[in-house]
Amino acid sequence: MVGIIGPRPDLAERLNDSRFLLEQGAALATGLSAAIAALALTVPASPRPLRLLPVAPAAFWLGTLGWGCLHDARAGWMQIAPDPACLFYIALIGVLPAVLLVLMLRQGAPLAPRLTIGLAGLAAAALANVALRFFHMQDAALMVLVWQVGSVALLTGLFGLAGRLFLPWRVLTRARR
Amino acid sequence: MSGRRTQADPTNAMRLEDLMQRAQQGDARAYYMLLLRLSQRLRRMTARRAPWLAPEDIEDVVQEILLSVHQARATWDPARPFMPWVAAIARSRLADHVRSDVRRTAIARATTDLAVTFQDPRANHEAETVVNLLSMRKALLDLTPAEKQAVDHLRLRELSLLQAARTTGRTVPAMKVAIHRAMRKLKSILWKG
């Protein structure tokens, strides 16, 4: 996607900005840890604390954005405008990691389908968000928090609700094959 | 793996871990033995965890667990103990079973009540029937003779429009209009009070 749309013009400058790097790193860590937690959930008797793996990076991600909000507010940049394109892009970019993850998860045991698929949604959406920020010119922390993290949360919730749809225990006839 | 003894049927004395490992490598006989021995253990485990279940329900749960073990067989890592892996699957399947059982029972109970209410005349309160009859009679008083006739022929005697038109000597559209107006009036009177 980044290749197709082309990177944002100020990417080199952004890559030197510690706040941008910190936010991207936290989002990446959230995505990866959510993917690991989702995969671990499909292995019976895997250590239970693994499912809490993304909590710390997600908290750190929200923390960096919250801190960014305060910083922006002091600089007088605090404003919010509708930016629904974020949701569209995150959903579009997230399709690929989401499909891959769901295919992998279906090889495992659906012990907690809602939580597993919810975590997969979080992983896909967080990774999509990392990609999004490489071409989408939106750095105001509040905007990122509301529109990008909001989209990630929305997609995570929707995925979680559809958990049993994506990860059912197979029925008798198919299991017998 | 150690502890494997050679007997008439060596799989009899093998540990479950060894059997599962062989099953993962495609040994059908080992898999059969594993499922056989596992089903006995699972029956006991389910009966202990859910003592309220009837034997046939326990059997259902055990079969579901075995199918799930089959589906998830690739997720067992031979380096890890086998029984905790099975127990995690069993817990999840038993919880699923109890959940669907509760839902099914609730639906069954609700529909039984409905059937009793609608089918058994004794279950309907007698006074209610009298009140219904009186209010219906009162409502009928407000209809014109033609409308009353339409209700009588089309609703009570359940004649077709054509038959009703013939017996009353009126046209089909006239019957349609009459029954429509009658039903609207009855509804407005009965629903009000």
Side-chain angles (χ1 to χ4, degrees):
Chain A
M1 272 304 276
V2 180
I4 295 168
I5 298 178
R8 50 198 285 178
D10 61 345
L11 184 61
E13 190 188 318
R14 288 287 112 201
L15 287 177
N16 282 324
D17 177 359
S18 64
R19 191 174 122 193
F20 179 80
L21 289 178
L22 210 59
E23 285 171 9
Q24 285 291 70
L28 189 67
T30 305
L32 293 179
S33 59
I36 293 170
L39 289 167
L41 267 174
T42 62
V43 177
S46 56
R48 288 179 83 83
L50 266 182
R51 64 185 62 183
L52 299 177
L53 204 60
V55 171
F60 183 67
W61 187 22
L62 291 177
T64 54
L65 287 171
W67 183 80
C69 278
L70 285 179
H71 192 77
D72 288 353
R74 277 205 210 108
W77 290 349
M78 208 59 168
Q79 55 181 354
I80 185 156
D83 191 5
C86 290
L87 176 64
F88 171 72
Y89 278 132
I90 290 177
L92 194 68
I93 306 169
V95 166
L96 186 68
V99 168
L100 281 176
L101 253 177
V102 169
L103 283 178
M104 284 199 274
L105 292 171
R106 283 174 69 93
Q107 302 297 314
L111 295 177
R114 295 220 171 103
L115 185 58
T116 310
I117 291 293
L119 283 169
L122 175 62
L127 292 178
N129 192 45
V130 173
L132 174 77
R133 294 200 63 192
F134 281 118
F135 65 79
H136 193 54
M137 296 272 278
Q138 184 54 264
D139 290 316
L142 184 66
M143 288 291 286
V144 174
L145 191 66
V146 171
W147 290 106
Q148 299 184 8
V149 179
S151 303
V152 171
L154 181 72
L155 293 173
T156 303
L158 287 178
F159 260 70
L161 286 178
R164 285 186 185 276
L165 209 71
F166 288 127
L167 275 196
W169 279 110
R170 258 160 246 156
V171 289
L172 192 67
T173 45
R174 281 175 66 194
R176 261 195 181 155
R177 217 168 19 179
Chain B
M1 285 276 163
S2 60
R4 207 179 292 161
R5 273 176 275 164
T6 40
Q7 281 181 6
D9 186 354
T11 51
N12 272 336
M14 282 168 76
R15 292 186 312 143
L16 292 178
E17 271 90 351
D18 297 340
L19 286 173
M20 184 62 181
Q21 209 177 353
R22 280 180 158 219
Q24 279 185 333
Q25 288 158 3
D27 183 342
R29 166 131 205 97
Y31 196 34
Y32 173 76
M33 276 310 291
L34 173 81
L35 292 180
L36 209 63
R37 280 170 57 185
L38 207 51
S39 61
Q40 292 160 0
R41 280 200 186 200
L42 287 173
R43 236 167 255 137
R44 282 198 299 271
M45 192 198 263
T46 313
R48 203 173 49 238
R49 287 229 173 111
W52 61 87
L53 287 181
E56 60 269 23
D57 289 334
I58 290 179
E59 200 52 44
D60 279 356
V61 175
V62 169
Q63 295 305 319
E64 274 170 21
I65 298 171
L66 289 178
L67 284 169
S68 306
V69 164
H70 177 78
Q71 185 185 332
R73 66 197 182 284
T75 64
W76 179 63
D77 176 1
R80 300 172 69 107
F82 179 62
M83 272 324 276
W85 179 84
V86 173
I89 296 178
R91 244 194 328 269
S92 156
R93 298 308 280 149
L94 182 61
D96 284 349
H97 183 87
V98 170
R99 252 196 303 271
S100 72
D101 212 32
V102 167
R103 251 196 316 265
R104 236 189 346 253
T105 317
I107 291 171
R109 196 171 292 150
T111 46
T112 322
D113 287 351
L114 282 180
V116 167
T117 310
F118 289 128
Q119 284 177 5
D120 190 352
R122 284 168 302 177
N124 296 318
H125 206 273
E126 210 165 292
E128 213 173 81
T129 322
V130 174
V131 169
N132 280 346
L133 194 71
L134 287 175
S135 49
M136 190 66 193
R137 202 172 273 174
K138 202 175 139 210
L140 278 171
L141 285 178
D142 286 356
L143 301 182
T144 64
E147 287 165 356
K148 221 182 280 181
Q149 199 179 34
V151 171
D152 180 52
H153 282 66
L154 293 170
R155 290 290 180 268
L156 300 180
R157 295 192 207 170
E158 295 184 339
L159 296 179
S160 71
L161 275 169
L162 202 63
Q163 287 169 326
R166 272 192 202 135
T167 44
T168 53
R170 300 167 63 206
T171 61
V172 170
M175 291 306 290
K176 274 189 191 168
V177 171
I179 190 68
H180 176 72
R181 284 189 184 152
M183 294 321 280
R184 205 173 47 190
K185 264 190 203 168
L186 287 179
K187 258 184 213 162
S188 72
I189 294 163
L190 292 174
W191 263 234
K192 220 187 292 165

